[in-house]
Amino acid sequence: MASKAESPKQTVGPTYRPEKQKPIATVSTAVSFENVHTLPQTPQLIALLTMIRDKNTDRADFIFYSNRIIRLLVEEGLNHLPVVEHTVTTPVGRTYAGVMFQGKICGVSIMRAGEAMEQGLRDCCRSVRIGKILIQRDEETSLPKLFYDKLPEDIADRWVLLLDPMFATGE
């Protein structure tokens, strides 16, 4: 049996605690692709990952904690979309210099697994449009084949968040 590479570990916890007082936990392996972003390895995320990887976690808790992770993923995805300056007036008459999203967004769900992420996107983006695609491996060529798509008509004018979670066993 081939040996598996050891997952990286680091101390986690609030910055005000000394390193020796922080627990050591498994963290995500860094990847060196410009277009791949890993969620910050915060104590909150690591605690959530611990819960869903625990063989003793019941179904309801697994769904609850998975949904929290999905929400973190969606919010991080939204952080990568362009924004423009936007000034508003507050209820007390003050000016607030903020930002707003530039353009429109939509989600495209990979059918079955991706549908688990749809509610997380809806929780973050009111009235978001969601399309669906079904891609399967062609048995003859072993290449991916598009079997179904239902996309917003104006998808070319939108920023697209591809909804495709991978729930792994941690092995």
Side-chain angles (χ1 to χ4, degrees):
M1 180 178 223
S3 65
K4 294 182 180 179
E6 187 80 15
S7 296
K9 294 180 175 50
Q10 73 181 36
T11 58
V12 295
T15 56
Y16 60 83
R17 295 191 86 180
E19 288 297 310
K20 63 184 176 192
Q21 291 182 1
K22 296 179 186 179
I24 295 174
T26 303
V27 296
S28 295
T29 304
V31 292
S32 58
F33 294 103
E34 188 178 315
N35 61 346
V36 175
H37 303 275
T38 305
L39 284 177
Q41 301 298 287
T42 62
Q44 176 184 197
L45 176 61
I46 293 169
L48 294 170
L49 290 169
T50 301
M51 293 298 295
I52 68 169
R53 289 179 171 155
D54 185 345
K55 68 179 183 179
N56 297 314
T57 298
D58 65 34
R59 182 177 187 278
D61 285 342
F62 180 87
I63 292 168
F64 176 81
Y65 294 119
S66 295
N67 285 338
R68 284 196 55 203
I69 294 169
I70 287 168
R71 175 90 180 243
L72 292 172
L73 281 168
V74 167
E75 289 176 358
E76 182 62 21
L78 293 171
N79 284 334
H80 294 274
L81 297 178
V83 293
V84 294
E85 293 178 5
H86 184 68
T87 302
V88 297
T89 303
T90 69
V92 295
R94 305 286 302 230
T95 300
Y96 177 80
V99 297
M100 63 185 229
F101 288 117
Q102 180 182 10
K104 299 183 283 186
I105 67 167
C106 73
V108 173
S109 174
I110 304 293
M111 287 179 70
R112 293 197 309 255
E115 292 166 343
M117 298 184 76
E118 290 178 10
Q119 189 59 48
L121 179 58
R122 285 188 180 104
D123 289 344
C124 295
C125 303
R126 177 181 275 169
S127 303
V128 67
R129 306 274 317 269
I130 295 183
K132 299 201 182 264
I133 59 175
L134 176 60
I135 300 173
Q136 293 181 339
R137 185 171 60 100
D138 185 295
E139 295 298 326
E140 294 176 14
T141 65
S142 296
L143 295 173
K145 182 177 178 183
L146 179 65
F147 278 90
Y148 173 82
D149 70 278
K150 183 172 173 123
L151 304 170
E153 291 179 14
D154 62 346
I155 193 167
D157 300 323
R158 294 177 178 268
W159 293 97
V160 177
L161 295 173
L162 185 62
L163 307 177
D164 184 26
M166 186 176 105
F167 294 114
T169 61
E171 292 186 40

